[in-house]
Amino acid sequence: MTGRKKKIYEGKAKILYEGPEPGTLIQYFKDDATAFNAQKKAVLEGKGVINNRISEFVMTRLAAIGVQNHFIRRLNLREQLIREVEIIPLEVICRNVAAGSLSQRLGIEEGTPLPRSIIEFCYKNDELGDPMVTEEHITAFNWATTQELDDILAMTVRVNDFLTGLFAGVGIMLVDFKIEFGRVYEGDFARVILADEISPDSCRLWDMVSGEKLDKDRFRRDLGNVIESYTEVARRLGIMKDMPTVIQGGLH
Ligand code: UDP
């Protein structure tokens, strides 16, 4: 199937193909993992299948509470039909607990709860290493309008509140996550919707009891059992029932 479709864009973990109708795309989840601006690379067999399912699950539930997003429906193990959007070149990071680059930058020990949720923006640009930017840069360089930024902030807070509860319900702490947004045009009017993916590649997820990391830090930090941990997240969310047995049994 995939071979016949026109490739629109290939990223580090996903490929976008032309969709069956105008205004749609097919998002294909690869098994490739990269970290540290693609200096570290690996193929994690089955990752794409799990992330396709986790992202479907999360996006569907977010749509149900009114957080509009690009997900239309899952097509097969690795592909989902999505709305084509004009990507806003920002990585929107939301943090509840100190970890990763925030801990390094500010000298706050990983695992320290933050006084309140903090939203940060990075400019999506691989050559520059996705530098952190402020709202001033975003509006001055026209990456997003003030109104769009307001919408992005409001949606990010809703995503954080919803996901924090969703994961807490299955014994997982949502430490932080990264999301992206895009514009859809309705006549002259542009609206911002949630795009990209939400998966253990883009979230920090810690087991609430053991503190064990169940996310991409297992790959970044060579902790092992990456697929097993992603599978555990899917299992706890209740989406393992109809996964292929090769993944249900674990891939070693
Ligand atoms: N993140 C991401 N893509 C990126 C950078 C960060 O998905 O290019 C996610 C990351 O998985 C974590 C959150 O955003 O859940 C915050 O990441 P951080 O700024 O701490 O960067 P890192 O320590 O991963 O370099």
Side-chain angles (χ1 to χ4, degrees):
M1 276 295 278
T2 309
R4 284 190 272 116
K5 291 177 296 235
K6 189 171 153 219
K7 194 188 282 188
I8 305 287
Y9 172 82
E10 177 153 7
K12 285 171 273 194
K14 296 186 294 292
I15 306 173
L16 296 177
Y17 294 98
E18 192 175 66
E21 294 155 41
T24 66
L25 296 174
I26 291 168
Q27 177 163 255
Y28 176 97
F29 287 76
K30 301 195 277 186
D31 284 343
D32 302 41
T34 65
F36 313 118
N37 208 1
Q39 289 171 57
K40 182 180 173 116
K41 288 185 196 168
V43 175
L44 303 171
E45 206 184 320
K47 176 174 79 80
V49 176
I50 302 172
N51 282 356
N52 187 22
R53 294 304 287 259
I54 293 177
S55 204
E56 170 194 17
F57 181 88
V58 171
M59 291 293 190
T60 304
R61 269 148 194 81
L62 284 170
I65 61 151
V67 177
Q68 296 189 337
N69 64 70
H70 73 164
F71 180 84
I72 301 172
R73 66 187 151 86
R74 191 169 58 83
L75 297 172
N76 55 48
L77 282 181
R78 289 182 183 275
E79 294 179 321
Q80 47 182 243
L81 185 66
I82 58 169
R83 281 190 76 169
E84 183 172 25
V85 301
E86 181 181 286
I87 281 286
I88 293 170
L90 296 174
E91 300 202 330
V92 182
I93 292 172
C94 181
R95 305 176 179 275
N96 301 306
V97 173
S101 68
L102 177 123
S103 290
Q104 282 177 6
R105 253 188 349 257
L106 303 181
I108 301 172
E109 197 188 338
E110 281 213 323
T112 311
L114 297 171
R116 60 180 176 84
S117 303
I118 294 173
I119 296 175
E120 301 172 345
F121 300 100
C122 294
Y123 175 47
K124 254 172 84 75
N125 184 312
D126 282 340
E127 278 116 81
L128 301 175
D130 299 340
M132 192 190 278
V133 293
T134 69
E135 296 186 28
E136 287 281 291
H137 301 99
I138 295 167
T139 50
F141 296 123
N142 281 319
W143 296 327
T145 64
T146 310
Q147 178 60 53
E148 286 173 338
L149 253 184
D150 283 352
D151 292 347
I152 287 171
L153 285 167
M155 288 171 84
T156 303
V157 169
R158 290 201 69 199
V159 171
N160 186 44
D161 287 348
F162 182 76
L163 289 188
T164 297
L166 179 81
F167 284 117
V170 297
I172 294 174
M173 181 163 60
L174 179 65
V175 171
D176 57 31
F177 63 91
K178 183 268 300 180
I179 47 179
E180 296 183 23
F181 293 87
R183 288 181 195 98
V184 287
Y185 289 92
E186 278 143 22
D188 284 346
F189 185 73
R191 194 158 46 84
V192 171
I193 65 172
L194 180 62
D196 193 48
E197 73 176 299
I198 297 181
S199 74
D201 268 3
S202 56
C203 301
R204 282 198 171 91
L205 303 168
W206 296 358
D207 181 89
M208 276 181 163
V209 176
S210 66
E212 197 184 357
K213 296 182 191 346
L214 301 171
D215 56 59
K216 193 169 159 184
D217 274 345
R218 299 209 71 86
F219 168 68
R220 291 191 193 96
R221 303 179 186 189
D222 294 319
L223 300 173
N225 294 334
V226 186
I227 288 298
E228 289 79 355
S229 302
Y230 283 39
T231 306
E232 176 63 11
V233 173
R235 191 191 65 76
R236 291 204 201 172
L237 292 174
I239 53 183
M240 286 306 291
K241 295 180 285 293
D242 40 11
M243 282 270 214
T245 32
V246 64
I247 288 168
Q248 281 190 37
L251 288 157
H252 302 284

